Amino acid sequence: MGFRSNFFSNIPPVTKHLIIINLIIWLAMVVFPSGTTGLMMRYGALHYVEAPDFNVLQPLTYMFMHSMTGLGHILFNMFALYMFGGVIERTVGSMRFLTYYMICGVGAALVQEAVWAVTLAGTIEHGLAQLNNTSVAAMREFLAMHPDIMDSNFNFFTTIGASGAIFGILLAFGMMFPNVPLYIMFIPVPVKAKWVVLGYGVIEVLLGMSEARDGVAHFAHLGGMLFGLLVILYWKKKFGSNGNGIRY
């Protein structure tokens, strides 16, 4: 009991409460009846902006929801939040850390919305090209392969998870503590944090451009890193390289 008490007391308050909130919502989605979970997904998950189920709170609420199909999604995000979020919170302060976390998460949502818009426009444009250059039968075949074009609700575009905010935290760690050695699975030697973050960024770009059908919003991850970079550059300009305990 004493160990458990010391363990939780050593986690900075914002990091600790973010982990608790995410775990409670995930457990609620797993335990509650499917109808309740469906309502949570309908109103809380991030939908495409033109969808009837979209609401302005979703760029905030989606980052507190995680996949129910396994433990990997929630465990990876919360472990990364625990490992790196606590360090960043102690460095910049609780309120500034919370602001940074939320900006990265919302920024990831905005980038994902933009990617969906481009994807939808490209798919429709391709379909129209098919109609103009080939037969109606070919167009019908194309639409049969892409039924989402005929879905006027646009509700096939949804995403959940704190990964955008987490990637923002990884970026902050790499920028504030660039030479800290990290041990990566399957790599037998430590790698400096700055190279780990750069590697993650390159992987996300390649996976996003390859249109990998793995159910992962890779561009949202990049959006979290992008908005995190903008915030840190703003801090650096406003406070300087050593201002308010911030390290660069």
Side-chain angles (χ1 to χ4, degrees), residues 8-236:
F8 282 107
S9 64
N10 288 331
I11 304 176
V14 172
T15 300
K16 176 168 61 179
H17 285 93
L18 285 173
I19 292 174
I20 291 173
I21 292 170
N22 276 279
L23 289 176
I24 289 175
I25 293 176
W26 181 80
L27 286 173
M29 293 176 68
V30 172
V31 173
F32 287 174
S34 58
T36 303
T37 301
L39 288 174
M40 294 174 69
M41 286 292 296
R42 178 179 179 182
Y43 292 107
L46 181 67
H47 290 69
Y48 182 51
V49 68
E50 294 187 44
D53 288 345
F54 174 82
N55 67 71
V56 295
L57 293 179
Q58 288 175 359
L60 291 172
T61 57
Y62 88 102
M63 70 178 84
F64 294 99
M65 305 172 67
H66 289 82
S67 172
M68 299 171 292
T69 58
L71 293 173
H73 193 204
I74 183 74
L75 287 183
F76 172 81
N77 281 345
M78 294 306 100
F79 178 73
L81 178 56
Y82 165 73
M83 288 294 295
F84 301 104
V87 176
I88 303 303
E89 183 177 351
R90 292 188 184 98
T91 302
V92 304
S94 294
M95 288 306 299
R96 188 171 295 162
F97 172 71
L98 178 60
T99 300
Y100 180 83
Y101 183 90
M102 300 304 290
I103 288 175
C104 289
V106 172
L110 296 178
V111 170
Q112 187 60 46
E113 289 284 352
V115 170
W116 282 336
V118 171
T119 300
L120 183 63
T123 304
I124 293 176
E125 181 180 355
H126 181 61
L128 292 174
Q130 288 281 79
L131 179 62
N132 292 332
N133 298 330
T134 60
S135 65
V136 174
M139 181 60 181
R140 288 177 177 173
E141 181 180 355
F142 175 81
L143 292 175
M145 295 174 62
H146 301 273
D148 48 292
I149 297 176
M150 302 302 293
D151 186 348
S152 59
N153 292 329
F154 300 105
N155 283 331
F156 49 90
F157 288 134
T158 59
T159 192
I160 55 175
S163 300
I166 296 301
F167 270 79
I169 289 175
L170 292 177
L171 177 86
F173 187 89
M175 293 185 69
M176 296 179 185
F177 307 95
N179 296 316
V180 170
L182 299 177
Y183 288 88
I184 308 299
M185 190 178 299
F186 304 122
I187 299 180
V189 296
V191 182
K192 291 183 177 180
K194 59 185 176 182
W195 302 124
V196 173
V197 172
L198 180 62
Y200 268 119
V202 170
I203 290 172
E204 291 300 315
V205 169
L206 294 176
L207 289 175
M209 294 182 65
S210 69
E211 298 181 355
R213 299 187 180 279
D214 53 5
V216 178
H218 296 289
F219 283 109
H221 297 171
L222 292 170
M225 298 180 82
L226 172 62
F227 276 76
L229 175 62
L230 295 176
V231 172
I232 291 175
L233 292 178
Y234 170 75
W235 284 349
K236 185 174 183 179

